[in-house]
Amino acid sequence: MDNRYSFLGGKRGPWRVARLDGLRGAGLEAVERLQIVQGEWAESASEAAWVLRGLTSNVRYATRPEVDALRERQPALARPEARCAALIPIKKSARWWELAQDERRAIFEETSHHTAIGMEFLPAVARRLHHCRDIGEPFDFLTWFEYAPEHTHAFEDLLDRLRVTREWDFVEREVDIRLEHI
Ligand code: HEM
């Protein structure tokens, strides 16, 4: 399966932009709609105001028990009831990338409990992580989440808990884009 995804912000697409907040670092231009294209990279020459590209990839930090637990509880994307979504592009600092893999894992999980916290919100929230640090993109990750409207508050709680962790000390750019399926 082709693991390339392009996110086009503009006037077209099945996702209506309800909010677009630049939280850290430079924001992104406000747009009305979002379209996601899988496969061939979408060209920025289209009428989109911006195009963000990322690839799904292998896990970096999850241990075998975590991978198994996630597989058991993680819901699929595109559930009909999950009419809300969030696209949260994130860039981490040079300080993060200078760390060794074991040091990053320790901050990510043993100190910040990213997976443990996230697991509490399954199966309400479905997710897909895209990597883009090595393909010359402005962000390191494009994080994508889908949930039903009644889980909006739970999703806010999840963000509140993750954003106060040590891991987030290394986040230097973050834009929070909330979407509703049309
Ligand atoms: C990475 C789980 C929510 C941002 C990961 C990884 C797991 C995970 C297991 C590591 C993947 C690997 O081993 O490479 C979850 C679960 C969530 C959740 C179960 C619950 C829905 C979130 C949210 C955000 C987020 C709400 C952003 C606001 C990220 C980022 C990474 C990541 C940026 C990549 C970190 C890095 O490689 O440095 N997540 N997550 N996650 N997650 Fe989450």
Side-chain angles (χ1 to χ4, degrees):
M1 200 179 76
D2 198 315
N3 65 339
R4 293 176 291 179
Y5 291 86
S6 306
F7 295 81
L8 292 87
K11 291 186 185 308
R12 288 171 49 180
W15 293 99
R16 190 179 72 76
V17 177
R19 262 173 49 200
L20 190 156
D21 300 320
L23 300 182
R24 277 187 206 187
L28 281 173
E29 191 182 322
V31 289
E32 290 164 33
R33 301 278 195 92
L34 181 84
Q35 186 176 10
I36 305 169
V37 177
Q38 188 193 359
E40 293 285 290
W41 292 128
E43 285 308 320
S44 39
S46 61
E47 65 272 82
W50 43 258
V51 183
L52 300 173
R53 301 180 179 90
L55 304 143
T56 55
S57 185
N58 54 281
V59 294
R60 267 68 164 167
Y61 303 115
T63 60
R64 169 50 55 196
E66 287 164 353
V67 167
D68 290 344
L70 284 163
R71 211 163 269 165
E72 207 166 288
R73 292 185 60 176
Q74 243 167 197
L77 292 170
R79 293 167 294 173
E81 70 274 20
R83 304 194 60 77
C84 299
L87 171 65
I88 307 182
I90 286 178
K91 183 177 170 67
K92 286 184 171 174
S93 62
R95 214 157 46 87
W96 171 261
W97 295 109
E98 281 158 10
L99 295 171
Q101 183 75 6
D102 58 335
E103 294 171 312
R104 287 197 294 264
R105 156 75 199 186
I107 293 166
F108 179 85
E109 198 57 38
E110 280 70 28
T111 306
S112 302
H113 310 294
H114 184 125
T115 308
I117 292 171
M119 290 275 296
E120 292 178 34
F121 296 84
L122 305 184
V125 181
R127 54 182 274 275
R128 188 169 62 217
L129 177 63
H130 313 80
H131 292 258
C132 37
R133 171 170 150 81
D134 294 325
I135 56 170
E137 283 285 303
F139 294 93
D140 295 335
F141 308 99
L142 305 176
T143 66
W144 175 259
F145 307 94
E146 294 176 2
Y147 48 93
E150 64 262 34
H151 293 129
T152 302
H153 289 301
F155 189 68
E156 298 300 340
D157 289 347
L158 166 63
L159 289 173
D160 287 348
R161 286 177 62 188
L162 288 176
R163 285 179 177 144
V164 296
T165 61
R166 174 114 173 80
E167 184 193 356
W168 250 256
D169 291 346
F170 296 88
V171 172
E172 66 174 30
R173 189 175 179 196
E174 179 174 8
V175 183
D176 189 334
I177 307 168
R178 297 307 173 84
L179 307 139
E180 290 164 4
H181 205 278
I182 293 167

